[in-house]
Amino acid sequence: MGKKGLLLCQFIVLMFVLSSTAFTSQARTFAPIADLEFLIDTFNKQDGHLIEWSLYTREMVQLPTEKSVEEKMMALRNEYPKMEWVLSQDHQTVQLTGTLQHQHFLETVILNTIREDHTRHTYLIYQVSGNSWDEETANQLASRLNQSITKMYGKNTLIFSCIKGEFNDDSSQELPYYANKYLANLHAIEIESLKEFDFYSISAYTDELSEKLSTKNGEMNIQLALRKNGWDRKTSVVIGTPIITIEY
């Protein structure tokens, strides 16, 4: 191989490395992915078993007539032709749901219309969820999420990150021990809480996360829910930012 050919090969390899690095960097710096990874890393420090993670966003869209709703449904079907679409309705609601199973996560799009008296409220919902997490998942998700959010909303929107898991109980420890340990690992300060014998719900603030909400007691950007399950000696954990959006 001549000198020019060798230089060309070196240039191609260099560009491949740089593009791969940039893509990985995108996954790490794209705020929702970084937030979700922080929650998962915190959970892993407790040696917990991850059951589910999710990213969720919802915005109201202006579709005042039945025709405009039908047109939006058709547009979504055209924008996501690979999704499996299901239409459900009753006297008050009409909902179109599309799902697509990717290699590492499930992608869901929902258009939900609620009729009340003579008014109509329509929400466009986007969610991705999965049951395991690694670097490949983070990279593929960052690309897909950024593309879909831009396509659906055309602007930055509030994205909620949540994880759900469990860990085996140490019978010598109670919920205050676990709650304090989680808050310490999250570098979070408790803002408000509901504390019962077998259930804790804590709202807190940490500088580690990108989103935040204002409350009467100050800014918050994380919720932590802990529940002891005495029958199977496990403790269920749900962590969300800026709030929890899944059932707990």
Side-chain angles (χ1 to χ4, degrees):
M1 181 182 295
K3 184 175 181 181
K4 290 184 178 179
L6 180 62
L7 290 174
L8 178 60
C9 288
Q10 290 175 337
F11 176 76
I12 292 173
V13 171
L14 177 62
M15 291 303 295
F16 176 78
V17 171
L18 289 176
S19 63
S20 299
T21 303
F23 188 69
T24 302
S25 176
Q26 179 192 26
R28 295 297 177 266
T29 58
F30 188 42
I33 307 298
D35 287 351
L36 183 60
E37 285 198 311
F38 176 66
L39 299 185
I40 293 174
D41 288 344
T42 299
F43 179 71
N44 288 338
K45 289 178 181 178
Q46 303 286 82
D47 296 322
H49 168 62
L50 180 66
I51 296 175
E52 180 186 11
W53 59 263
S54 66
L55 293 168
Y56 171 94
T57 188
R58 184 186 79 162
E59 286 196 6
M60 182 179 288
V61 291
Q62 298 300 320
L63 300 173
T65 65
E66 185 173 344
K67 182 180 180 181
S68 62
V69 172
E70 291 175 353
E71 290 174 347
K72 183 62 175 179
M73 288 181 177
M74 182 62 69
L76 287 173
R77 290 177 186 270
N78 291 334
E79 289 172 4
Y80 295 90
K82 294 182 179 180
M83 281 192 168
E84 180 179 342
W85 293 96
V86 176
L87 180 65
S88 60
Q89 54 187 322
D90 55 31
H91 69 283
Q92 190 177 15
T93 64
V94 178
Q95 180 168 298
L96 178 68
T97 303
T99 55
L100 178 61
Q101 182 65 59
H102 297 266
Q103 182 180 359
H104 298 287
F105 54 85
L106 176 68
E107 185 177 28
T108 304
V109 175
I110 300 173
L111 188 70
N112 181 251
T113 297
I114 305 171
R115 293 186 292 264
E116 296 178 344
D117 297 328
H118 300 291
T119 62
R120 183 191 306 269
H121 303 290
T122 302
Y123 297 92
L124 183 58
I125 300 165
Y126 180 79
Q127 177 175 305
V128 285
S129 59
N131 305 114
S132 61
W133 187 263
D134 55 24
E135 185 172 337
E136 185 177 359
T137 302
N139 288 337
Q140 290 186 7
L141 181 61
S143 176
R144 185 65 179 181
L145 187 67
N146 196 16
Q147 180 186 61
S148 294
I149 292 297
T150 301
K151 180 189 295 185
M152 291 183 63
Y153 302 102
K155 60 179 181 179
N156 292 329
T157 184
L158 180 61
I159 299 176
F160 300 84
S161 306
C162 278
I163 64 169
K164 183 176 183 179
E166 63 184 16
F167 56 89
N168 293 326
D169 271 339
D170 178 347
S171 59
S172 65
Q173 304 293 350
E174 301 297 335
L175 285 185
Y177 168 82
Y178 295 116
N180 291 334
K181 195 170 183 179
Y182 267 108
L183 289 175
N185 287 334
L186 292 164
H187 308 136
I189 300 173
E190 181 178 322
I191 304 299
E192 54 190 27
S193 63
L194 169 65
K195 297 178 180 179
E196 301 175 352
F197 173 73
D198 60 352
F199 175 74
Y200 270 32
S201 177
I202 300 173
S203 298
Y205 181 82
T206 174
D207 289 329
E208 302 289 340
L209 297 169
S210 62
E211 306 285 7
K212 61 183 178 180
L213 298 173
S214 297
T215 72
K216 62 180 180 180
N217 296 322
E219 291 183 339
M220 62 158 286
N221 61 359
I222 194 162
Q223 279 191 319
L224 169 66
L226 297 163
R227 185 185 299 277
K228 267 187 172 292
N229 303 321
W231 58 275
D232 63 358
R233 297 181 59 81
K234 294 182 184 295
T235 296
S236 299
V237 183
V238 180
I239 311 174
T241 177
I243 61 172
I244 294 172
T245 56
I246 61 179
E247 184 177 350
Y248 65 95

PDB file of all heavy atoms in Angstrom, residues 19 40 44 64-65 67 72 74 151 164 171 187 247-248:
ATOM      1  N   SER A  19     -16.416   9.757  15.378  1.00  0.00           N
ATOM      2  CA  SER A  19     -17.869   9.697  15.279  1.00  0.00           C
ATOM      3  C   SER A  19     -18.448   8.774  16.339  1.00  0.00           C
ATOM      4  O   SER A  19     -19.496   9.052  16.903  1.00  0.00           O
ATOM      5  CB  SER A  19     -18.296   9.218  13.881  1.00  0.00           C
ATOM      6  OG  SER A  19     -17.845   7.895  13.641  1.00  0.00           O
ATOM      7  N   ILE A  40     -30.377   4.989  37.763  1.00  0.00           N
ATOM      8  CA  ILE A  40     -30.031   3.568  37.716  1.00  0.00           C
ATOM      9  C   ILE A  40     -28.731   3.297  38.473  1.00  0.00           C
ATOM     10  O   ILE A  40     -28.627   2.319  39.225  1.00  0.00           O
ATOM     11  CB  ILE A  40     -29.934   3.087  36.256  1.00  0.00           C
ATOM     12  CG1 ILE A  40     -31.321   3.136  35.600  1.00  0.00           C
ATOM     13  CG2 ILE A  40     -29.362   1.678  36.183  1.00  0.00           C
ATOM     14  CD1 ILE A  40     -31.319   2.815  34.123  1.00  0.00           C
ATOM     15  N   ASN A  44     -28.251   0.830  41.612  1.00  0.00           N
ATOM     16  CA  ASN A  44     -27.302  -0.276  41.583  1.00  0.00           C
ATOM     17  C   ASN A  44     -26.367  -0.272  42.793  1.00  0.00           C
ATOM     18  O   ASN A  44     -25.872  -1.321  43.214  1.00  0.00           O
ATOM     19  CB  ASN A  44     -26.483  -0.239  40.293  1.00  0.00           C
ATOM     20  CG  ASN A  44     -27.300  -0.647  39.077  1.00  0.00           C
ATOM     21  OD1 ASN A  44     -28.313  -1.321  39.193  1.00  0.00           O
ATOM     22  ND2 ASN A  44     -26.863  -0.228  37.897  1.00  0.00           N
ATOM     23  N   PRO A  64     -59.482  20.982  18.184  1.00  0.00           N
ATOM     24  CA  PRO A  64     -60.817  21.318  18.693  1.00  0.00           C
ATOM     25  C   PRO A  64     -61.975  20.552  18.066  1.00  0.00           C
ATOM     26  O   PRO A  64     -63.069  20.515  18.626  1.00  0.00           O
ATOM     27  CB  PRO A  64     -60.927  22.815  18.384  1.00  0.00           C
ATOM     28  CG  PRO A  64     -60.034  23.021  17.203  1.00  0.00           C
ATOM     29  CD  PRO A  64     -58.906  22.066  17.376  1.00  0.00           C
ATOM     30  N   THR A  65     -61.752  19.942  16.914  1.00  0.00           N
ATOM     31  CA  THR A  65     -62.859  19.265  16.223  1.00  0.00           C
ATOM     32  C   THR A  65     -62.549  17.783  16.038  1.00  0.00           C
ATOM     33  O   THR A  65     -61.399  17.359  16.087  1.00  0.00           O
ATOM     34  CB  THR A  65     -63.117  19.892  14.845  1.00  0.00           C
ATOM     35  OG1 THR A  65     -61.971  19.668  14.000  1.00  0.00           O
ATOM     36  CG2 THR A  65     -63.376  21.389  14.974  1.00  0.00           C
ATOM     37  N   LYS A  67     -62.782  16.209  13.303  1.00  0.00           N
ATOM     38  CA  LYS A  67     -62.022  16.067  12.070  1.00  0.00           C
ATOM     39  C   LYS A  67     -60.534  16.287  12.313  1.00  0.00           C
ATOM     40  O   LYS A  67     -59.689  15.553  11.775  1.00  0.00           O
ATOM     41  CB  LYS A  67     -62.532  17.055  11.021  1.00  0.00           C
ATOM     42  CG  LYS A  67     -61.807  16.933   9.689  1.00  0.00           C
ATOM     43  CD  LYS A  67     -62.347  17.927   8.664  1.00  0.00           C
ATOM     44  CE  LYS A  67     -61.613  17.799   7.335  1.00  0.00           C
ATOM     45  NZ  LYS A  67     -62.103  18.770   6.329  1.00  0.00           N
ATOM     46  N   LYS A  72     -55.014  14.110  12.829  1.00  0.00           N
ATOM     47  CA  LYS A  72     -53.804  13.899  13.628  1.00  0.00           C
ATOM     48  C   LYS A  72     -53.518  12.402  13.768  1.00  0.00           C
ATOM     49  O   LYS A  72     -52.356  11.972  13.703  1.00  0.00           O
ATOM     50  CB  LYS A  72     -53.974  14.540  15.005  1.00  0.00           C
ATOM     51  CG  LYS A  72     -52.732  14.428  15.891  1.00  0.00           C
ATOM     52  CD  LYS A  72     -51.534  15.144  15.291  1.00  0.00           C
ATOM     53  CE  LYS A  72     -50.353  15.125  16.223  1.00  0.00           C
ATOM     54  NZ  LYS A  72     -49.159  15.812  15.636  1.00  0.00           N
ATOM     55  N   MET A  74     -54.266  10.095  11.624  1.00  0.00           N
ATOM     56  CA  MET A  74     -53.733   9.654  10.327  1.00  0.00           C
ATOM     57  C   MET A  74     -52.280  10.081  10.174  1.00  0.00           C
ATOM     58  O   MET A  74     -51.440   9.317   9.667  1.00  0.00           O
ATOM     59  CB  MET A  74     -54.573  10.245   9.198  1.00  0.00           C
ATOM     60  CG  MET A  74     -54.139   9.803   7.803  1.00  0.00           C
ATOM     61  SD  MET A  74     -54.289   8.008   7.559  1.00  0.00           S
ATOM     62  CE  MET A  74     -56.095   7.861   7.557  1.00  0.00           C
ATOM     63  N   LYS A 151     -39.689  15.334  16.315  1.00  0.00           N
ATOM     64  CA  LYS A 151     -40.739  15.084  15.330  1.00  0.00           C
ATOM     65  C   LYS A 151     -42.131  15.343  15.926  1.00  0.00           C
ATOM     66  O   LYS A 151     -42.990  15.949  15.283  1.00  0.00           O
ATOM     67  CB  LYS A 151     -40.657  13.645  14.834  1.00  0.00           C
ATOM     68  CG  LYS A 151     -41.715  13.284  13.794  1.00  0.00           C
ATOM     69  CD  LYS A 151     -41.723  11.787  13.509  1.00  0.00           C
ATOM     70  CE  LYS A 151     -40.442  11.324  12.876  1.00  0.00           C
ATOM     71  NZ  LYS A 151     -40.500   9.877  12.496  1.00  0.00           N
ATOM     72  N   LYS A 164     -38.027   1.416  38.432  1.00  0.00           N
ATOM     73  CA  LYS A 164     -38.744   0.605  39.417  1.00  0.00           C
ATOM     74  C   LYS A 164     -37.931  -0.659  39.667  1.00  0.00           C
ATOM     75  O   LYS A 164     -37.444  -1.284  38.727  1.00  0.00           O
ATOM     76  CB  LYS A 164     -40.133   0.241  38.892  1.00  0.00           C
ATOM     77  CG  LYS A 164     -41.000  -0.531  39.863  1.00  0.00           C
ATOM     78  CD  LYS A 164     -42.392  -0.759  39.262  1.00  0.00           C
ATOM     79  CE  LYS A 164     -43.310  -1.466  40.246  1.00  0.00           C
ATOM     80  NZ  LYS A 164     -44.680  -1.659  39.667  1.00  0.00           N
ATOM     81  N   SER A 171     -33.422  -7.831  57.515  1.00  0.00           N
ATOM     82  CA  SER A 171     -34.448  -7.757  58.563  1.00  0.00           C
ATOM     83  C   SER A 171     -34.075  -6.837  59.709  1.00  0.00           C
ATOM     84  O   SER A 171     -34.934  -6.410  60.476  1.00  0.00           O
ATOM     85  CB  SER A 171     -34.750  -9.164  59.101  1.00  0.00           C
ATOM     86  OG  SER A 171     -33.568  -9.740  59.632  1.00  0.00           O
ATOM     87  N   HIS A 187     -27.412  12.504  46.526  1.00  0.00           N
ATOM     88  CA  HIS A 187     -26.945  13.841  46.920  1.00  0.00           C
ATOM     89  C   HIS A 187     -28.139  14.788  47.038  1.00  0.00           C
ATOM     90  O   HIS A 187     -28.090  15.933  46.565  1.00  0.00           O
ATOM     91  CB  HIS A 187     -25.927  14.391  45.916  1.00  0.00           C
ATOM     92  CG  HIS A 187     -24.802  13.448  45.636  1.00  0.00           C
ATOM     93  ND1 HIS A 187     -24.329  13.198  44.371  1.00  0.00           N
ATOM     94  CD2 HIS A 187     -24.069  12.645  46.461  1.00  0.00           C
ATOM     95  CE1 HIS A 187     -23.352  12.312  44.421  1.00  0.00           C
ATOM     96  NE2 HIS A 187     -23.175  11.958  45.678  1.00  0.00           N
ATOM     97  N   GLU A 247     -47.021   3.735  38.414  1.00  0.00           N
ATOM     98  CA  GLU A 247     -47.757   3.335  39.609  1.00  0.00           C
ATOM     99  C   GLU A 247     -46.810   2.821  40.688  1.00  0.00           C
ATOM    100  O   GLU A 247     -45.901   2.057  40.424  1.00  0.00           O
ATOM    101  CB  GLU A 247     -48.771   2.239  39.251  1.00  0.00           C
ATOM    102  CG  GLU A 247     -49.652   1.827  40.419  1.00  0.00           C
ATOM    103  CD  GLU A 247     -50.692   0.789  40.008  1.00  0.00           C
ATOM    104  OE1 GLU A 247     -50.836   0.555  38.785  1.00  0.00           O
ATOM    105  OE2 GLU A 247     -51.330   0.232  40.903  1.00  0.00           O
ATOM    106  N   TYR A 248     -47.066   3.261  41.930  1.00  0.00           N
ATOM    107  CA  TYR A 248     -46.246   2.776  43.049  1.00  0.00           C
ATOM    108  C   TYR A 248     -47.074   2.624  44.299  1.00  0.00           C
ATOM    109  O   TYR A 248     -46.601   2.245  45.349  1.00  0.00           O
ATOM    110  CB  TYR A 248     -45.060   3.715  43.305  1.00  0.00           C
ATOM    111  CG  TYR A 248     -45.421   5.102  43.765  1.00  0.00           C
ATOM    112  CD1 TYR A 248     -45.439   5.411  45.124  1.00  0.00           C
ATOM    113  CD2 TYR A 248     -45.762   6.107  42.853  1.00  0.00           C
ATOM    114  CE1 TYR A 248     -45.744   6.697  45.562  1.00  0.00           C
ATOM    115  CE2 TYR A 248     -46.072   7.375  43.276  1.00  0.00           C
ATOM    116  CZ  TYR A 248     -46.080   7.677  44.628  1.00  0.00           C
ATOM    117  OH  TYR A 248     -46.400   8.932  45.061  1.00  0.00           O
TER     118      TYR A 248
END
